[in-house]
mmCIF file of all heavy atoms in Angstrom:
data_model
loop_
_atom_site.group_PDB
_atom_site.id
_atom_site.type_symbol
_atom_site.label_atom_id
_atom_site.label_comp_id
_atom_site.label_asym_id
_atom_site.label_seq_id
_atom_site.Cartn_x
_atom_site.Cartn_y
_atom_site.Cartn_z
ATOM 1 N N GLU A 87 272.473 47.029 225.531
ATOM 2 C CA GLU A 87 272.548 47.566 224.159
ATOM 3 C C GLU A 87 271.540 48.665 223.976
ATOM 4 O O GLU A 87 271.770 49.707 223.314
ATOM 5 C CB GLU A 87 272.315 46.475 223.133
ATOM 6 C CG GLU A 87 273.439 45.424 222.970
ATOM 7 C CD GLU A 87 273.086 44.256 222.077
ATOM 8 O OE1 GLU A 87 271.913 44.275 221.556
ATOM 9 O OE2 GLU A 87 273.893 43.396 221.871
ATOM 10 N N GLY A 88 270.394 48.492 224.550
ATOM 11 C CA GLY A 88 269.287 49.527 224.489
ATOM 12 C C GLY A 88 269.566 50.861 225.037
ATOM 13 O O GLY A 88 269.559 51.857 224.428
ATOM 14 N N PHE A 89 269.978 50.908 226.269
ATOM 15 C CA PHE A 89 270.259 52.170 226.922
ATOM 16 C C PHE A 89 271.626 52.785 226.513
ATOM 17 O O PHE A 89 271.787 53.953 226.496
ATOM 18 C CB PHE A 89 270.104 52.177 228.456
ATOM 19 C CG PHE A 89 271.054 51.293 229.283
ATOM 20 C CD1 PHE A 89 272.303 51.717 229.466
ATOM 21 C CD2 PHE A 89 270.636 50.058 229.857
ATOM 22 C CE1 PHE A 89 273.258 50.907 230.207
ATOM 23 C CE2 PHE A 89 271.510 49.300 230.644
ATOM 24 C CZ PHE A 89 272.754 49.748 230.763
ATOM 25 N N THR A 90 272.630 51.896 226.174
ATOM 26 C CA THR A 90 273.859 52.431 225.744
ATOM 27 C C THR A 90 273.678 53.116 224.282
ATOM 28 O O THR A 90 274.305 54.101 224.018
ATOM 29 C CB THR A 90 274.969 51.455 225.672
ATOM 30 O OG1 THR A 90 274.630 50.320 224.951
ATOM 31 C CG2 THR A 90 275.395 51.046 227.120
ATOM 32 N N ALA A 91 272.894 52.485 223.436
ATOM 33 C CA ALA A 91 272.620 53.027 222.123
ATOM 34 C C ALA A 91 271.964 54.347 222.179
ATOM 35 O O ALA A 91 272.218 55.283 221.339
ATOM 36 C CB ALA A 91 271.747 52.066 221.246
ATOM 37 N N ASP A 92 271.180 54.611 223.243
ATOM 38 C CA ASP A 92 270.516 55.898 223.413
ATOM 39 C C ASP A 92 271.352 56.884 224.140
ATOM 40 O O ASP A 92 270.979 58.042 224.374
ATOM 41 C CB ASP A 92 269.233 55.687 224.186
ATOM 42 C CG ASP A 92 268.142 55.005 223.469
ATOM 43 O OD1 ASP A 92 268.330 54.909 222.221
ATOM 44 O OD2 ASP A 92 267.205 54.519 224.055
ATOM 45 N N GLY A 93 272.552 56.472 224.630
ATOM 46 C CA GLY A 93 273.433 57.308 225.384
ATOM 47 C C GLY A 93 272.897 57.646 226.768
ATOM 48 O O GLY A 93 273.158 58.719 227.279
ATOM 49 N N ARG A 94 272.133 56.702 227.411
ATOM 50 C CA ARG A 94 271.516 56.947 228.619
ATOM 51 C C ARG A 94 272.222 55.998 229.696
ATOM 52 O O ARG A 94 272.895 55.012 229.393
ATOM 53 C CB ARG A 94 270.038 56.574 228.610
ATOM 54 C CG ARG A 94 269.183 57.398 227.758
ATOM 55 C CD ARG A 94 267.693 57.015 227.765
ATOM 56 N NE ARG A 94 267.507 55.680 227.161
ATOM 57 C CZ ARG A 94 267.213 54.584 227.812
ATOM 58 N NH1 ARG A 94 267.230 54.556 229.146
ATOM 59 N NH2 ARG A 94 266.958 53.470 227.117
ATOM 60 N N PHE A 95 272.061 56.398 230.974
ATOM 61 C CA PHE A 95 272.445 55.511 232.042
ATOM 62 C C PHE A 95 271.273 54.564 232.264
ATOM 63 O O PHE A 95 270.170 54.855 232.196
ATOM 64 C CB PHE A 95 272.713 56.349 233.301
ATOM 65 C CG PHE A 95 273.930 57.213 233.243
ATOM 66 C CD1 PHE A 95 273.867 58.577 232.847
ATOM 67 C CD2 PHE A 95 275.154 56.633 233.460
ATOM 68 C CE1 PHE A 95 274.985 59.306 232.798
ATOM 69 C CE2 PHE A 95 276.287 57.464 233.389
ATOM 70 C CZ PHE A 95 276.277 58.690 232.993
ATOM 71 N N GLY A 96 271.692 53.348 232.658
ATOM 72 C CA GLY A 96 270.653 52.206 232.675
ATOM 73 C C GLY A 96 270.271 51.666 234.009
ATOM 74 O O GLY A 96 269.308 50.951 234.094
ATOM 75 N N PHE A 97 271.036 51.970 235.079
ATOM 76 C CA PHE A 97 270.754 51.439 236.378
ATOM 77 C C PHE A 97 269.359 51.742 236.932
ATOM 78 O O PHE A 97 268.651 50.851 237.493
ATOM 79 C CB PHE A 97 271.831 51.708 237.350
ATOM 80 C CG PHE A 97 271.727 51.088 238.701
ATOM 81 C CD1 PHE A 97 271.536 49.688 238.759
ATOM 82 C CD2 PHE A 97 271.775 51.776 239.883
ATOM 83 C CE1 PHE A 97 271.448 49.039 240.015
ATOM 84 C CE2 PHE A 97 271.640 51.168 241.171
ATOM 85 C CZ PHE A 97 271.397 49.759 241.191
ATOM 86 N N GLU A 98 269.001 52.937 236.760
ATOM 87 C CA GLU A 98 267.640 53.371 237.276
ATOM 88 C C GLU A 98 266.502 52.567 236.666
ATOM 89 O O GLU A 98 265.570 52.197 237.330
ATOM 90 C CB GLU A 98 267.530 54.861 237.143
ATOM 91 C CG GLU A 98 268.322 55.726 238.119
ATOM 92 C CD GLU A 98 269.821 55.744 237.770
ATOM 93 O OE1 GLU A 98 270.163 55.442 236.546
ATOM 94 O OE2 GLU A 98 270.663 56.035 238.591
ATOM 95 N N GLU A 99 266.530 52.460 235.360
ATOM 96 C CA GLU A 99 265.504 51.795 234.639
ATOM 97 C C GLU A 99 265.492 50.260 234.965
ATOM 98 O O GLU A 99 264.531 49.501 234.901
ATOM 99 C CB GLU A 99 265.435 52.053 233.103
ATOM 100 C CG GLU A 99 266.552 51.470 232.289
ATOM 101 C CD GLU A 99 266.361 51.868 230.862
ATOM 102 O OE1 GLU A 99 266.826 52.870 230.389
ATOM 103 O OE2 GLU A 99 265.714 51.118 230.045
ATOM 104 N N THR A 100 266.776 49.782 235.218
ATOM 105 C CA THR A 100 266.948 48.314 235.589
ATOM 106 C C THR A 100 266.230 48.107 236.949
ATOM 107 O O THR A 100 265.539 47.091 237.133
ATOM 108 C CB THR A 100 268.348 47.942 235.633
ATOM 109 O OG1 THR A 100 269.002 48.145 234.350
ATOM 110 C CG2 THR A 100 268.612 46.545 236.037
ATOM 111 N N ILE A 101 266.430 48.949 237.888
ATOM 112 C CA ILE A 101 265.773 48.934 239.171
ATOM 113 C C ILE A 101 264.246 48.851 238.957
ATOM 114 O O ILE A 101 263.527 48.020 239.521
ATOM 115 C CB ILE A 101 266.125 50.087 240.169
ATOM 116 C CG1 ILE A 101 267.575 50.122 240.369
ATOM 117 C CG2 ILE A 101 265.292 50.017 241.419
ATOM 118 C CD1 ILE A 101 268.090 51.391 240.954
ATOM 119 N N TYR A 102 263.764 49.761 238.117
ATOM 120 C CA TYR A 102 262.287 49.816 237.810
ATOM 121 C C TYR A 102 261.788 48.457 237.235
ATOM 122 O O TYR A 102 260.797 47.890 237.622
ATOM 123 C CB TYR A 102 261.977 50.908 236.882
ATOM 124 C CG TYR A 102 260.547 51.315 236.588
ATOM 125 C CD1 TYR A 102 259.931 52.340 237.209
ATOM 126 C CD2 TYR A 102 259.784 50.480 235.710
ATOM 127 C CE1 TYR A 102 258.571 52.616 236.966
ATOM 128 C CE2 TYR A 102 258.492 50.707 235.543
ATOM 129 C CZ TYR A 102 257.856 51.808 236.102
ATOM 130 O OH TYR A 102 256.572 52.108 235.912
ATOM 131 N N LEU A 103 262.569 47.929 236.295
ATOM 132 C CA LEU A 103 262.261 46.640 235.625
ATOM 133 C C LEU A 103 262.182 45.567 236.666
ATOM 134 O O LEU A 103 261.226 44.735 236.667
ATOM 135 C CB LEU A 103 263.250 46.375 234.594
ATOM 136 C CG LEU A 103 263.206 45.017 233.906
ATOM 137 C CD1 LEU A 103 261.861 44.778 233.068
ATOM 138 C CD2 LEU A 103 264.399 44.838 232.945
ATOM 139 N N LEU A 104 263.136 45.433 237.516
ATOM 140 C CA LEU A 104 263.161 44.370 238.456
ATOM 141 C C LEU A 104 261.992 44.504 239.546
ATOM 142 O O LEU A 104 261.406 43.504 239.934
ATOM 143 C CB LEU A 104 264.518 44.376 239.280
ATOM 144 C CG LEU A 104 265.739 44.004 238.391
ATOM 145 C CD1 LEU A 104 267.016 44.212 239.191
ATOM 146 C CD2 LEU A 104 265.671 42.564 237.927
ATOM 147 N N LEU A 105 261.704 45.750 239.936
ATOM 148 C CA LEU A 105 260.719 45.897 240.910
ATOM 149 C C LEU A 105 259.230 45.767 240.396
ATOM 150 O O LEU A 105 258.371 45.176 241.051
ATOM 151 C CB LEU A 105 260.785 47.345 241.549
ATOM 152 C CG LEU A 105 261.951 47.555 242.531
ATOM 153 C CD1 LEU A 105 261.940 48.976 243.017
ATOM 154 C CD2 LEU A 105 261.840 46.644 243.780
ATOM 155 N N PHE A 106 259.056 46.231 239.193
ATOM 156 C CA PHE A 106 257.637 46.333 238.656
ATOM 157 C C PHE A 106 257.362 45.394 237.475
ATOM 158 O O PHE A 106 256.289 45.368 237.018
ATOM 159 C CB PHE A 106 257.427 47.807 238.248
ATOM 160 C CG PHE A 106 257.636 48.793 239.455
ATOM 161 C CD1 PHE A 106 258.680 49.666 239.412
ATOM 162 C CD2 PHE A 106 256.923 48.669 240.671
ATOM 163 C CE1 PHE A 106 258.905 50.558 240.455
ATOM 164 C CE2 PHE A 106 257.167 49.547 241.674
ATOM 165 C CZ PHE A 106 258.217 50.508 241.616
ATOM 166 N N GLY A 107 258.348 44.761 236.964
ATOM 167 C CA GLY A 107 258.212 43.768 235.993
ATOM 168 C C GLY A 107 258.142 44.170 234.553
ATOM 169 O O GLY A 107 258.010 43.321 233.662
ATOM 170 N N SER A 108 258.276 45.412 234.241
ATOM 171 C CA SER A 108 258.290 45.891 232.929
ATOM 172 C C SER A 108 259.150 47.205 232.847
ATOM 173 O O SER A 108 259.421 47.857 233.786
ATOM 174 C CB SER A 108 256.855 46.270 232.381
ATOM 175 O OG SER A 108 256.286 47.280 233.188
ATOM 176 N N LEU A 109 259.571 47.450 231.579
ATOM 177 C CA LEU A 109 260.376 48.694 231.353
ATOM 178 C C LEU A 109 259.527 49.934 231.388
ATOM 179 O O LEU A 109 258.403 49.957 230.903
ATOM 180 C CB LEU A 109 261.129 48.620 230.040
ATOM 181 C CG LEU A 109 262.268 47.577 229.932
ATOM 182 C CD1 LEU A 109 262.702 47.398 228.454
ATOM 183 C CD2 LEU A 109 263.409 47.972 230.762
ATOM 184 N N PRO A 110 260.043 50.988 232.012
ATOM 185 C CA PRO A 110 259.188 52.277 232.092
ATOM 186 C C PRO A 110 259.286 53.014 230.746
ATOM 187 O O PRO A 110 260.214 52.886 230.026
ATOM 188 C CB PRO A 110 259.990 53.035 233.252
ATOM 189 C CG PRO A 110 261.386 52.611 233.025
ATOM 190 C CD PRO A 110 261.328 51.166 232.685
ATOM 191 N N ASP A 111 258.224 53.764 230.539
ATOM 192 C CA ASP A 111 258.250 54.699 229.361
ATOM 193 C C ASP A 111 258.951 55.961 229.870
ATOM 194 O O ASP A 111 259.420 56.039 231.020
ATOM 195 C CB ASP A 111 256.849 54.974 228.871
ATOM 196 C CG ASP A 111 255.846 55.669 229.907
ATOM 197 O OD1 ASP A 111 256.413 56.338 230.857
ATOM 198 O OD2 ASP A 111 254.690 55.491 229.717
ATOM 199 N N THR A 112 259.104 56.881 228.934
ATOM 200 C CA THR A 112 259.842 58.164 229.328
ATOM 201 C C THR A 112 259.364 58.838 230.549
ATOM 202 O O THR A 112 260.170 59.239 231.495
ATOM 203 C CB THR A 112 259.833 59.088 228.127
ATOM 204 O OG1 THR A 112 260.365 58.420 226.978
ATOM 205 C CG2 THR A 112 260.754 60.360 228.342
#
Side-chain angles (χ1 to χ4, degrees):
E87 287 171 3
F89 65 75
T90 54
D92 291 343
R94 296 181 290 106
F95 291 97
F97 184 50
E98 288 74 20
E99 70 181 89
T100 300
I101 299 168
Y102 188 102
L103 172 63
L104 292 172
L105 288 176
F106 307 114
S108 61
L109 289 168
D111 61 26
T112 302

